[in-house]
């Protein structure tokens, strides 16, 4: 699953909340954050299944429906990437695409919600702190447009703690992937590592731990590079 839109969504909502401090939209977003902090990933995923699958029958679990699986397994359906959504579009099978997309909704929301809540909270706090600085007040007194103040002055300075948390959240989502894939019965690295742990397959579990460690190192490198991009003064250090 792609993580950049998830992180970006949390940053966007955090900025909106900070700009509209103590207004209705800020209050709504703060409730959104509080709920996100309150629910563990597995509880939130089970609640989604209870409401949107058991009750409403909108979004089923698993990766694909049995009827659509027969289409994918047929010789007429070419699996270019083995990703059902992309392969369905390449085969012009929009019924397969829609079915695969419906199965992705609940896992994506389950993983995204907790990350959104955490990124949003930090972004809102960082933006509020930045907007209260003297240089922001000076820029306003000089008559600079509010949009310019937000984009060129406030937002870049508020991004440092957000980037730090974002790098860690991307890695921590691997833990959420394990729970999410098990709950929604989706084959992947998460469910495979859970099965390896339950069967005492030490080699597979160690492989997952090494993969997570490598992802953490890579995330830290990316965060360090982004520091220099966001704040040019860091490059002189």
């Amino acid at each position: 699953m792609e993580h950049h839109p998830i992180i970006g969504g949390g940053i966007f909502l955090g900025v909106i909340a900070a700009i509209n401090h103590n207004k209705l939209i800020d209050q709504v977003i703060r409730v959104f954050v509080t709920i996100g902090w309150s629910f563990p990933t597995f509880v939130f995923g089970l609640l989604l299944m209870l409401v949107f699958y058991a009750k409403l029958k909108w979004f089923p679990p698993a990766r694909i429906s049995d009827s659509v699986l027969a289409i994918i397994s047929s010789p007429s359906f070419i699996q270019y990437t083995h990703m059902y959504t992309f392969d369905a579009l390449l085969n012009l099978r929009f019924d397969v695409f829609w079915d695969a997309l419906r199965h992705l909704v609940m896992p994506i929301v389950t993983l995204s919600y907790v990350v959104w809540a955490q990124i949003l909270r930090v972004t809102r706090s960082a933006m509020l702190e930045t907007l209260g600085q003297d240089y922001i007040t000076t820029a306003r007194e000089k008559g600079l447009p509010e949009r310019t103040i937000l984009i060129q002055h406030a937002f870049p300075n508020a991004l440092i703690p957000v980037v730090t948390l974002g790098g860690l959240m991307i890695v921590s989502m691997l833990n959420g992937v394990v729970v999410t894939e098990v709950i929604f019965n989706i084959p992947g690295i998460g469910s495979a590592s859970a099965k390896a742990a339950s069967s005492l397959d030490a080699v597979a579990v160690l492989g997952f731990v090494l993969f997570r460690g490598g992802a953490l190192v890579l995330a830290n490198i990316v965060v360090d590079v982004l520091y220099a991009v966001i704040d040019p003064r860091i490059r002189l250090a």
Side-chain angles (χ1 to χ4, degrees), residues 163-186:
V163 168
T164 303
L165 178 63
L168 296 176
M169 288 304 302
I170 289 177
V171 178
S172 67
M173 285 182 70
L174 290 174
N175 297 333
V177 165
V178 175
V179 177
T180 303
E181 289 183 355
V182 171
I183 290 176
F184 294 105
N185 191 26
I186 298 175

Side-chain angles (χ1 to χ4, degrees), residues 10 20 23 30 49 55 68-69 111 116 120 164 185 188 196 204:
N20 298 277
K23 295 181 181 179
R30 288 166 69 180
M49 287 190 64
K55 298 294 184 183
V68 176
L69 182 60
L111 278 175
W116 268 348
L120 195 159
T164 303
N185 191 26

Side-chain angles (χ1 to χ4, degrees), residues 122-148:
V122 172
T123 303
R124 179 181 178 275
S125 299
M127 278 294 294
L128 286 176
E129 182 180 355
T130 303
L131 291 173
Q133 297 296 319
D134 293 338
Y135 65 88
I136 298 295
T137 303
T138 303
R140 284 172 174 160
E141 291 177 351
K142 289 181 178 180
L144 291 178
E146 191 69 18
R147 180 182 179 88
T148 301

Side-chain angles (χ1 to χ4, degrees), residues 22-216:
N22 285 335
K23 295 181 181 179
L24 177 61
I25 187 170
D26 182 35
Q27 300 295 338
V28 172
I29 290 176
R30 288 166 69 180
V31 171
F32 175 88
V33 171
T34 303
I35 296 174
W37 272 96
S38 303
F39 284 106
T41 302
F42 72 93
V43 174
F44 186 67
L46 292 174
L47 285 175
L48 288 182
M49 287 190 64
L50 176 64
V51 175
F52 294 103
Y53 174 60
K55 298 294 184 183
L56 300 177
K57 305 294 184 182
W58 287 358
F59 304 115
R63 192 179 178 190
I64 202 108
S65 300
D66 292 338
S67 57
V68 176
L69 182 60
I71 298 175
I72 294 175
S73 303
S74 64
S76 60
F77 190 92
I78 302 175
Q79 298 192 40
Y80 299 97
T81 65
H82 292 277
M83 291 185 289
Y84 294 154
T85 50
F86 287 105
D87 289 342
L89 292 176
L90 293 174
N91 284 271
L92 300 179
R93 291 301 304 260
F94 298 105
D95 54 337
V96 176
F97 173 79
W98 174 246
D99 186 82
L101 194 63
R102 288 177 60 226
H103 284 76
L104 285 175
V105 170
M106 288 198 296
I108 289 176
V109 172
T110 300
L111 278 175
S112 302
Y113 190 28
V114 176
V115 176
W116 268 348
Q118 295 176 341
I119 292 292
L120 195 159
R121 175 176 172 270
V122 172
T123 303
R124 179 181 178 275
S125 299
M127 278 294 294
L128 286 176
E129 182 180 355
T130 303
L131 291 173
Q133 297 296 319
D134 293 338
Y135 65 88
I136 298 295
T137 303
T138 303
R140 284 172 174 160
E141 291 177 351
K142 289 181 178 180
L144 291 178
E146 191 69 18
R147 180 182 179 88
T148 301
I149 294 173
L150 291 174
I151 295 177
Q152 297 185 7
H153 299 281
F155 184 63
N157 288 288
L159 267 185
I160 294 296
V162 178
V163 168
T164 303
L165 178 63
L168 296 176
M169 288 304 302
I170 289 177
V171 178
S172 67
M173 285 182 70
L174 290 174
N175 297 333
V177 165
V178 175
V179 177
T180 303
E181 289 183 355
V182 171
I183 290 176
F184 294 105
N185 191 26
I186 298 175
I189 186 173
S191 58
S193 62
K195 291 178 181 178
S198 62
S199 60
L200 302 180
D201 187 348
V203 176
V205 173
L206 180 60
F208 179 77
V209 172
L210 291 175
F211 174 77
R212 190 181 186 279
L216 180 60

